[in-house]
Amino acid sequence: MALLSVYAQDEITASTKFKITPGLRIDYSAVGSQPTSDPALNTVPANNSANPTYTNTPFSELNNKWLGKATLSPRIGFNWDVNGNQSFVLRGGTGIFVGRMPFAWLGYAYTLNGTVYGNIDYKPASGTAVPLAINPLYLKDTVSKYGGPSASATREVDLIDNNFKLPTIWRSSIAADIKFGNGYKLTLDALYTKTIYDVKFQQINIKDQVEYYTSGPAQSPVYTGGKLYGGYSNAYFLTNTKEGYRYNLTAQLSKTTNNIKVGMHALNLNWSAAYTYGMSKDLSNGIRNSFQSNYEVNPAISPNNPQLSYSNFDLRDRIVATLGGTLVWNQSNATSLTFFYAGQSGSPYTVVYAAGGNPFNNAANSNLPYIPKDQNDIRLADYTVHGQVYTAAQQWNDLSTLISGDKYLSTRKGQYAERNALRTPWNHELDLKLMHEFKLSKHNSKQSLQLSLDIFNVLNLLNNDWGHITFVTNVNNYTVNMLTFATDANGVKPAKPTSGYLPTFNFNKPTGLNGQYYTVDPINSRWQGQVGIKYNF
C-alpha cells in the first residue's frame, strides 16, 4: 500500500492585524496490483426486487479497480487580531481532509477473493472418523471425499466497490479568544465536520425478497429468498457513503495570576474550566477488523441499509477543569499542587435483539429492537434462569420497569431503539499531582530534581462510593442483548411473518448497576497512586 502526499501553503499578511493561510494538499494512494476477480462474479444474477431494501453495484460490474487516483484537498485559514493587541482574536478556517483506514481491510479483498481461500463447512455424523488430510495443502480434498462435494463447495468473497475512496471530510471551524480584566481569558470554539466519503459494509449475497411482521418489529425485513448465489457462503461488500456529520461547541474560561505575595515567598495560581457539547453521527462505526464483523455487529433495523445514527465516539457533554498553584520558596525550591477534573455524560451503547437463530435471515448479529408501548405490544414466553422459571408476567414487569425508568427508552415506546442512543451515567474523574522541584544549579536552569506524587481518582480516595466509572460489559460493540426470539406456542422459533403474527420473545433482565445493563469498572473505579523522581539536565 502506497500513500504519497505533497502540501503547499502560503501565509498572506493583509495587514498587521489580519493574516490568511491558504493551502493545497495532494494525496495519492495506490496498491501494487489489484486482487484477482472471481470469474463467478459475472454469473451472479441481478437482485431485481420490486421494492428493494438495499442497493449495491451489481456483481457483474465489479472490476476491483479502486484507489490509484490523486485527490485535491484545498483549505484556508485566517487569524484576525481585531484590536491589534491580542485582546480579541478571531480565527478559523475550512478545508477538505483525506484520512486513512485500517489497510488490513484491503487484505481481506486479496485473500477472500473467491480464488485463493474457500470455506469448508463439514460436521461428520456421530462416530465418523476422518483420517489425516490426503494432501495437507488442500484440506478440501479430504472433506470432499468423506463429506461429499457439497461440504466444500462454497466460498466467501470480500469485495470492494469500484472507485472506492479513502475517508474524506469537509471541516470548518471558527473561534474567538477574548482577554479581559486581570488575567482572564475566554475562548469560544465551534467545529463542524461533514462527511464527503465514509465507509459502509454490506452483505450482498442475500436475495432481496422480504416479508414483514404486521405488529411488533414491523419495519424489520425478514429475508425469505435465501442466497442470491449458492456458490458464495457470504459476499461482504465495502463501499462509500456520503452520510454523516459531527460538531463540537466549546466555551473555556481561564485565569493566571503570578507573584502573589505569601510572606517572603511568591505564589503563582492558574485555573481553567471548559464545557464542550458534541454530537457525532455515522452509518458504520468501522471499529472491527474484518468485513464480516463490521457488517455483523453494526446495529441497524436493516443492516444492509443502515440509518444515520449516533457514532461510537459520540461525545455529548464534557466538562474539563484544572486548578494549580506553585509556591516558590526561593530560587532553588518550588512546590506545586495541581488538580485535574473531567466529567462526561457517559458512553453510548445499544440494545439489540440477541443474535441466536438469525431471526431476520440477514446474517447480522445486532438487529435493533422494537420497544413495546404496552403489554399487548409484545408476546413473552416463560423460560428458566438459574433453575427458576422466569414467567412471562415477571418478564413484562421487569421490561416495563426498565423502559419507564430509562431516560431514552421511555421516549421510544412504539418505536425502534436507535444505535448508540442509550448512555451510561455521568463519569467523574479527579486527579492530583503534588511535586517539589530542586534547582541544582544557579547557572543551568534546566538542571533540576523533581519529586512527585500522583493520585488518580481522588474522589474514590475520599469516599469509597465516589469516583465510580461505569461501562457496558459487552466488549464486542457496546451492545447488550435485550430480547431473544423464543419458541412460540406452536413450537416454531421464530415463525415466518404472517398476517397478524406477533413473534415471541424472552426478556434478558439486566444484572448491572441499579438494574441496568451497565456495571462499575472494578479497576478504574479505584483510586491509585504513584511516586516519581525525575532528573532534568
Side-chain angles (χ1 to χ4, degrees):
M1 182 71 203
L3 290 176
L4 304 175
S5 301
V6 61
Y7 181 64
Q9 176 179 296
D10 191 16
E11 292 186 0
I12 303 173
T13 302
S15 68
T16 57
K17 299 181 180 180
F18 191 74
K19 182 175 67 175
I20 300 175
T21 308
L24 177 65
R25 182 184 177 99
I26 302 175
D27 293 281
Y28 178 80
S29 54
V31 291
S33 60
Q34 303 288 358
T36 303
S37 295
D38 187 348
L41 290 175
N42 293 319
T43 68
V44 180
N47 203 352
N48 295 323
S49 173
N51 298 293
T53 62
Y54 71 95
T55 59
N56 60 272
T57 302
F59 284 82
S60 60
E61 295 180 14
L62 294 173
N63 56 24
N64 274 342
K65 293 182 179 179
W66 25 268
L67 304 181
K69 294 182 179 180
T71 59
L72 302 180
S73 303
R75 71 264 326 244
I76 186 170
F78 75 93
N79 188 286
W80 182 20
D81 184 0
V82 178
N83 298 323
N85 58 6
Q86 298 293 307
S87 62
F88 181 25
V89 175
L90 285 175
R91 52 186 170 82
T94 186
I96 305 297
F97 299 86
V98 177
R100 297 188 181 187
M101 56 176 272
F103 294 120
W105 290 350
L106 303 187
Y108 281 90
Y110 283 83
T111 55
L112 297 178
N113 59 18
T115 64
V116 180
Y117 289 107
N119 293 69
I120 294 175
D121 185 8
Y122 176 45
K123 182 179 180 182
S126 178
T128 301
V130 178
L132 295 176
I134 298 172
N135 182 341
L137 295 179
Y138 299 98
L139 180 60
K140 68 177 295 184
D141 292 347
T142 303
V143 176
S144 298
K145 178 178 179 179
Y146 296 98
S150 62
S152 58
T154 60
R155 57 198 182 279
E156 176 183 322
V157 289
D158 284 6
L159 306 165
I160 298 180
D161 206 354
N162 302 340
N163 301 313
F164 174 79
K165 306 291 196 306
L166 289 178
T168 306
I169 60 171
W170 170 43
R171 175 167 289 169
S172 302
S173 67
I174 183 72
D177 298 315
I178 306 168
K179 296 179 180 179
F180 62 95
N182 185 17
Y184 289 95
K185 181 179 179 180
L186 174 65
T187 297
L188 303 174
D189 199 321
L191 177 69
Y192 179 79
T193 301
K194 177 67 180 73
T195 294
I196 297 178
Y197 295 110
D198 203 351
V199 298
K200 177 182 177 180
F201 293 90
Q202 297 176 292
Q203 211 288 55
I204 60 175
N205 198 36
I206 300 172
K207 189 173 183 180
D208 203 355
Q209 175 182 316
V210 300
E211 297 182 18
Y212 294 89
Y213 294 108
T214 55
S215 56
Q219 296 178 28
S220 299
V222 180
Y223 293 87
T224 58
K227 296 179 181 178
L228 190 63
Y229 177 63
Y232 295 151
S233 55
N234 298 293
Y236 295 107
F237 188 56
L238 171 59
T239 185
N240 287 123
T241 177
K242 295 184 178 181
E243 294 192 60
Y245 66 88
R246 53 189 178 272
Y247 64 85
N248 288 315
L249 304 173
T250 300
Q252 180 181 34
L253 183 64
S254 62
K255 187 178 190 299
T256 300
T257 307
N258 294 324
N259 296 318
I260 302 173
K261 294 298 181 181
V262 181
M264 300 294 294
H265 313 296
L267 176 65
N268 301 325
L269 287 177
N270 63 83
W271 61 264
S272 68
Y275 168 74
T276 298
Y277 182 84
M279 182 176 291
S280 177
K281 289 194 173 185
D282 56 25
L283 289 191
S284 175
N285 51 55
I287 65 172
R288 312 304 298 173
N289 68 317
S290 68
F291 285 39
Q292 179 177 356
S293 56
N294 272 300
Y295 169 79
E296 287 185 345
V297 295
N298 189 43
I301 297 175
S302 179
N304 263 332
N305 188 26
Q307 294 177 308
L308 189 66
S309 192
Y310 301 103
S311 166
N312 282 50
F313 312 102
D314 184 49
L315 179 66
R316 216 58 63 89
D317 301 281
R318 180 172 172 82
I319 300 172
V320 176
T322 62
L323 173 62
T326 300
L327 184 61
V328 181
W329 302 96
N330 50 48
Q331 291 183 342
S332 301
N333 292 272
T335 302
S336 62
L337 177 63
T338 304
F339 291 91
F340 175 83
Y341 166 79
Q344 185 169 332
S345 55
S347 301
Y349 69 98
T350 311
V351 290
V352 298
Y353 288 123
N358 190 20
F360 300 109
N361 297 321
N362 57 18
N365 295 331
S366 297
N367 297 283
L368 290 172
Y370 171 79
I371 307 302
K373 56 182 177 292
D374 53 42
Q375 190 170 3
N376 296 323
D377 209 20
I378 188 172
R379 180 173 295 162
L380 297 164
D382 298 353
Y383 72 106
T384 301
V385 182
H386 302 305
Q388 299 291 325
V389 176
Y390 191 21
T391 68
Q394 291 172 324
Q395 292 174 56
W396 169 251
N397 183 66
D398 293 338
L399 175 58
S400 179
T401 299
L402 173 69
I403 295 172
S404 300
D406 186 89
K407 181 179 179 181
Y408 172 74
L409 290 178
S410 61
T411 67
R412 303 298 295 181
K413 293 181 180 180
Q415 305 176 72
Y416 279 76
E418 300 167 286
R419 172 165 58 95
N420 287 330
L422 289 86
R423 302 189 77 89
T424 62
W426 273 75
N427 290 327
H428 302 277
E429 300 179 67
L430 179 65
D431 304 328
L432 73 80
K433 185 180 188 70
L434 176 64
M435 184 178 72
H436 186 84
E437 183 175 39
F438 300 92
K439 295 290 185 181
L440 303 180
S441 173
K442 294 182 179 179
H443 306 291
N444 184 357
S445 61
K446 294 182 179 180
Q447 190 174 13
S448 65
L449 182 68
Q450 296 176 345
L451 303 178
S452 62
L453 169 66
D454 293 275
I455 297 180
F456 307 105
N457 201 347
V458 176
L459 296 175
N460 187 249
L461 175 64
L462 299 176
N463 188 313
N464 193 49
D465 295 327
W466 296 351
H468 288 178
I469 306 299
T470 55
F471 74 110
V472 173
T473 56
N474 187 336
V475 298
N476 285 336
N477 195 36
Y478 311 102
T479 58
V480 291
N481 297 327
M482 187 174 77
L483 295 169
T484 302
F485 278 81
T487 302
D488 64 16
N490 297 318
V492 180
K493 174 191 175 181
K496 184 178 178 180
T498 56
S499 178
Y501 182 85
L502 187 66
T504 302
F505 299 97
N506 292 144
F507 170 57
N508 300 308
K509 184 179 179 180
T511 58
L513 182 67
N514 300 323
Q516 297 289 336
Y517 288 112
Y518 47 79
T519 189
V520 174
D521 188 323
I523 301 298
N524 293 320
S525 297
R526 300 174 185 269
W527 74 270
Q528 302 174 57
Q530 68 180 26
V531 293
I533 181 170
K534 183 178 181 181
Y535 173 61
N536 298 313
F537 59 93

